[in-house]
Amino acid sequence: MSLRWRLLLTLGLSFAALWGLVAVWLYSDLQDQVRDTLDQRLAASARMVAGLVAQLPDSAWQNTGDPVLSVPSSAGVACQINAPSGRVLMRTHGQFDDGLESPAPGFTDRDIDGERWRLFTYVQNGVHITTADRLVERSALQRNVIAVAAVPFAVALLGSLVVLWFGIRRGLRPLERLRGELSRRAPDTLIPVEIDDAPKELRPAVDTLNQLLARTGETLAREQRFTSDAAHELRTPLTAIKTHVQLAKRLDGNEAYAALAQAEAGIARLQRTLEQLLLLARVEAGESHFDMAQATSSAIATAALADLPNGGRVGIHENGVAIPVAVPKALATAALRNLLDNALRHTRADREVSLAIEVKAARVTFVVCDQGDWPADRDTQPLTQRFWRGEASRAGAGSGLGLTIAAAIAQRFAGELAFEPRPGGGLAVRLSWPRAAPS
């Protein structure tokens, strides 16, 4: 069932039920009002007759003769006057066998000649004046009043349903436009959806859809970039490995072993590049599969140094206080290891790379300083670009992704990565993250 019909049925049935309750209430109130009004008219008629009777002299009732008036038997009203002795002085309907005698003053209902009548008896100076009207006449009057009121009521109800139908159609028109906009789109179209005059209730849904399209576009762009990067970076190592393997097949002895060693080195480089690419893709995709256990600054530095084959060339300077860092240990270690590896690659083997840990306010900063040949006036912006390599990296086994990964990890967890050329040559790299609350 469509939303339009569901709304129409729900609201229509609700309107019909409410209007039905109002109709029952009005019908009950109408019955009471009609009965009270006709009873007041009946009592007023009796009092009016009593006023006329009071103005007649007593001698007027001594020679009354036939007390029956010529009122048609089909008339729905009747009147009877009884003397204090009970004798009928005057009545309107002579065909009533039992007359309109009432046992007590006030209102009462009686069956007279097979019909139900409403009687009112008024006593004045011993004279009983009884007025009556037929209940069938009252029922006919009520039916007429109800029929007159029911037609506008039914028309108003039907009109409300029609107006409700058009109102629902108009109210759901933005949804219809959204459906049409989405149905006309190509599967690869990721531009934001624009709905003119969208109501404020629909605007959050459109904004959420546009955010989803934006995230989908970013995901596709990352996948395309990963595929392109992998195809670009893996082509050269694979070609080199293939060449060395072919040479090993053709050569003998030490030359064959040397070719196989070169192929093995190419495989190791290929493995490192794939690991770096996969780590970068996971960080940029915002995956939550990493171990979210936090670590201290000292633990991160120790783990990063342990992963480096030549970590003994790093001189560490810390204040001896282990500060918890608001970043998963595995990612923080990977980022710091990449910075140290990059610094060691650009520093001569007889020189040292320094690592310092600074704690200021609510942030923890790892400062890595190398003694390379980076000029003081050179722009540091290309350092975090994918696959950008310096002279030392081109000659070595670097993949050109280490600093890019460090920058991505820093950005992912509200950190900062900054490069400062040193006056004597080389770089000072500052990697900072917020402090974590003590557990």
Side-chain angles (χ1 to χ4, degrees):
M1 182 183 295
S2 66
L3 180 61
R4 181 181 303 162
W5 281 105
R6 188 177 302 174
L7 286 174
L8 181 64
L9 287 178
T10 302
L11 297 178
L13 291 177
S14 300
F15 280 1
L18 291 175
W19 283 52
L21 292 175
V22 171
V24 172
W25 176 38
L26 291 178
Y27 177 73
S28 176
D29 187 66
L30 178 63
Q31 283 184 320
D32 295 339
Q33 293 295 332
V34 170
R35 184 181 65 250
D36 294 342
T37 301
L38 294 179
D39 285 349
Q40 291 176 9
R41 188 192 67 171
L42 203 60
S45 299
R47 292 188 179 92
M48 181 182 64
V49 172
L52 295 175
V53 169
Q55 296 179 12
L56 297 176
D58 294 338
S59 60
W61 303 106
Q62 296 177 2
N63 299 314
T64 55
D66 187 1
V68 180
L69 301 179
S70 58
V71 176
S73 60
S74 60
V77 293
C79 180
Q80 179 174 300
I81 303 174
N82 293 72
S85 61
R87 183 172 65 91
V88 177
L89 300 178
M90 185 175 293
R91 65 180 179 179
T92 57
H93 289 62
Q95 74 273 19
F96 290 164
D97 296 333
D98 297 335
L100 297 177
E101 286 81 5
S102 177
F107 292 98
T108 184
D109 293 341
R110 282 184 53 191
D111 289 328
I112 303 175
D113 294 345
E115 292 183 330
R116 195 73 173 169
W117 289 74
R118 178 76 166 169
L119 284 69
F120 177 76
T121 300
Y122 181 71
V123 179
Q124 179 175 290
N125 298 327
V127 178
H128 289 66
I129 298 95
T130 302
T131 56
D133 57 5
R134 228 173 1 209
L135 292 183
V136 67
E137 304 292 340
R138 291 191 173 195
S139 299
L141 177 62
Q142 288 181 357
R143 287 194 298 270
N144 292 335
V145 173
I146 291 173
V148 172
V151 173
F153 190 87
V155 171
L157 177 59
L158 293 177
S160 298
L161 294 178
V162 172
V163 172
L164 180 63
W165 167 256
F166 284 104
I168 290 175
R169 287 192 60 184
R170 180 178 178 83
L172 296 180
R173 195 169 296 167
L175 280 178
E176 189 68 21
R177 292 202 300 269
L178 178 60
R179 184 198 64 81
E181 172 71 18
L182 295 178
S183 64
R184 291 189 298 268
R185 283 179 167 237
D188 57 346
T189 302
L190 297 176
I191 60 176
V193 176
E194 293 294 338
I195 302 297
D196 296 334
D197 301 329
K200 62 180 182 179
E201 292 81 6
L202 184 60
R203 177 54 58 186
V206 175
D207 294 341
T208 303
L209 177 60
N210 288 334
Q211 293 173 6
L212 175 61
L213 292 175
R215 290 195 299 269
T216 303
E218 293 174 358
T219 302
L220 292 176
R222 282 194 298 267
E223 291 180 355
Q224 293 172 357
R225 185 167 55 186
F226 176 82
T227 304
S228 176
D229 292 343
H232 178 268
E233 287 300 313
L234 301 183
R235 185 183 299 114
T236 301
L238 286 174
T239 302
I241 293 171
K242 182 178 180 181
T243 300
H244 290 306
V245 171
Q246 290 175 349
L247 287 174
K249 290 181 180 179
R250 297 176 183 177
L251 300 175
D252 296 324
N254 293 332
E255 294 180 346
Y257 284 116
L260 289 176
Q262 291 293 332
E264 185 177 0
I267 293 173
R269 177 183 175 186
L270 181 63
Q271 181 181 3
R272 287 194 299 270
T273 302
L274 281 175
E275 291 175 351
Q276 296 281 60
L277 280 172
L278 291 174
L279 179 59
L280 180 60
R282 292 176 64 189
V283 172
E284 289 184 342
E287 292 187 5
S288 58
H289 305 303
F290 301 107
D291 184 6
M292 298 305 293
Q294 297 174 352
T296 62
S297 56
S298 299
I300 294 171
T302 302
L305 291 174
D307 289 344
L308 294 172
N310 51 354
R313 292 174 52 199
V314 178
I316 183 169
H317 308 280
E318 60 176 332
N319 54 13
V321 179
I323 305 299
V325 182
V327 61
K329 180 181 178 181
L331 294 182
T333 301
L336 183 58
R337 182 185 62 243
N338 287 347
L339 296 183
L340 292 172
D341 183 64
N342 182 77
L344 290 171
R345 188 176 292 113
H346 289 83
T347 301
R348 286 168 38 183
D350 58 344
R351 295 184 179 181
E352 187 181 74
V353 172
S354 66
L355 170 62
I357 301 176
E358 300 177 354
V359 180
K360 293 183 179 180
R363 301 187 73 84
V364 178
T365 303
F366 299 88
V367 184
V368 178
C369 297
D370 62 51
Q371 300 185 47
D373 54 357
W374 188 271
D377 57 348
R378 189 174 182 181
D379 185 16
T380 60
Q381 185 175 1
L383 288 173
T384 56
Q385 295 179 1
R386 290 168 179 258
F387 306 114
W388 189 90
R389 302 175 189 173
E391 295 297 332
S393 296
R394 293 193 188 100
S399 63
L401 291 173
L403 298 182
T404 306
I405 293 173
I409 295 175
Q411 183 180 7
R412 167 77 190 283
F413 295 95
E416 294 180 359
L417 181 64
F419 301 92
E420 300 175 1
R422 302 179 67 188
L427 284 174
V429 185
R430 305 180 67 87
L431 176 63
S432 66
W433 282 295
R435 295 179 58 173
S439 58

